[in-house]
Amino acid sequence: MLEGAGTLEVLISETAIRARVTELAAEITRDYAGRDVVLVCLLKGAVIFASDLARAIRLPVRLEFVRAASYGAGRVSSGEVRIEETDGIDRAALASAVAGGEVLVVEDIVDSGRTLGRILSHVQDLGARSAEVCTLLYKDRNVDHPFGVRYIGFRIEDRFVVGYGLDFAERYRNLPYVAVLEDRDLPGV
Ligand code: IMP
Ligand code: MG
């Protein structure tokens, strides 16, 4: 039994996620036909989405990782985004994969968009031939992002969600569905 997960409201079921991942992968397979794709997965939240997505894409795929931190242990963005690709990740390998490559940044959720903005400019600095974004979730906050998000799994309201890679203080990443975390679900709140 998943600790504390029994009471959470399921927002997107495992079945719905699976179906949507299959659709997104089919779209990517069509759009990138004849090309190799470099999936740049944002650690840690996108790791589960990226691994399902990668297996459903019918093209040669390279899998790279980047770590960006904008949230601490709380539910509100600190506003500061740091890229930490040297943290156990080979900076040179990332640079050579991205240079001249068709890059698809895989993200768990676009909230303020600060994380993605930062990652996309980094990928462009490394000389990507193209750079697009595939996100599982997109929070509708009427924010104008300076970049396009080409592939969106699900648009959701501005609520804090966990599961399928998304965490609260490193918990709930292994839920196979996406659930809403309310204040009443928090221990000691
Ligand atoms: P942004 O830079 O504000 O777009 O924030 C993106 C990052 O914040 C994501 O990669 C997540 O790690 C985290 N995040 C934003 N919203 C949520 C949420 O509802 N649940 C869990 N993590 C979130
Ligand atoms: Mg997170």
Side-chain angles (χ1 to χ4, degrees):
M1 183 61 193
L2 290 153
E3 185 198 355
T7 59
L8 302 186
E9 176 200 336
V10 176
L11 187 66
I12 308 171
S13 71
E14 190 175 356
T15 313
I17 294 173
R18 196 175 307 127
R20 190 68 187 118
V21 170
T22 305
E23 283 176 1
L24 287 171
E27 219 179 300
I28 291 164
T29 302
R30 269 199 308 278
D31 293 350
Y32 288 85
R35 293 179 282 170
D36 293 13
V37 186
V38 183
L39 296 181
V40 173
C41 170
L42 263 70
L43 294 173
K44 303 177 191 169
V47 87
I48 291 178
F49 176 41
S51 61
D52 283 346
L53 187 71
R55 282 177 290 182
I57 294 174
R58 302 283 174 252
L59 294 170
V61 154
R62 216 181 139 141
L63 199 48
E64 300 292 337
F65 298 90
V66 119
R67 185 176 176 124
S70 73
Y71 276 55
R75 289 182 299 165
V76 180
S77 175
S78 65
E80 183 207 339
V81 179
R82 286 170 293 122
I83 294 184
E84 302 171 341
E85 83 273 50
T86 52
D87 183 20
I89 294 159
D90 186 346
R91 181 185 282 264
L94 177 76
S96 83
V98 165
E102 315 274 4
V103 174
L104 193 51
V105 176
V106 183
E107 176 58 308
D108 53 356
I109 187 165
V110 178
D111 185 1
S112 72
R114 272 189 294 258
T115 307
L116 267 184
R118 183 81 179 78
I119 295 291
L120 281 171
S121 60
H122 184 63
V123 159
Q124 271 144 9
D125 289 348
L126 291 174
R129 178 201 285 265
S130 69
E132 301 286 352
V133 175
C134 180
T135 185
L136 176 73
L137 305 174
Y138 185 95
K139 266 191 199 175
D140 267 325
R141 300 210 307 171
N142 297 315
V143 182
D144 270 331
H145 303 304
F147 50 84
V149 180
R150 181 143 172 201
Y151 305 98
I152 295 177
F154 302 91
R155 288 175 187 272
I156 63 166
E157 283 174 46
D158 189 6
R159 299 166 85 185
F160 195 85
V161 291
V162 294
Y164 199 68
L166 292 123
D167 74 307
F168 171 67
E170 297 303 327
R171 283 183 57 196
Y172 304 112
R173 290 197 199 274
N174 62 326
L175 296 182
Y177 46 84
V178 172
V180 180
L181 193 73
E182 308 281 7
D183 286 345
R184 60 176 159 75
D185 300 316
L186 300 176
V189 172

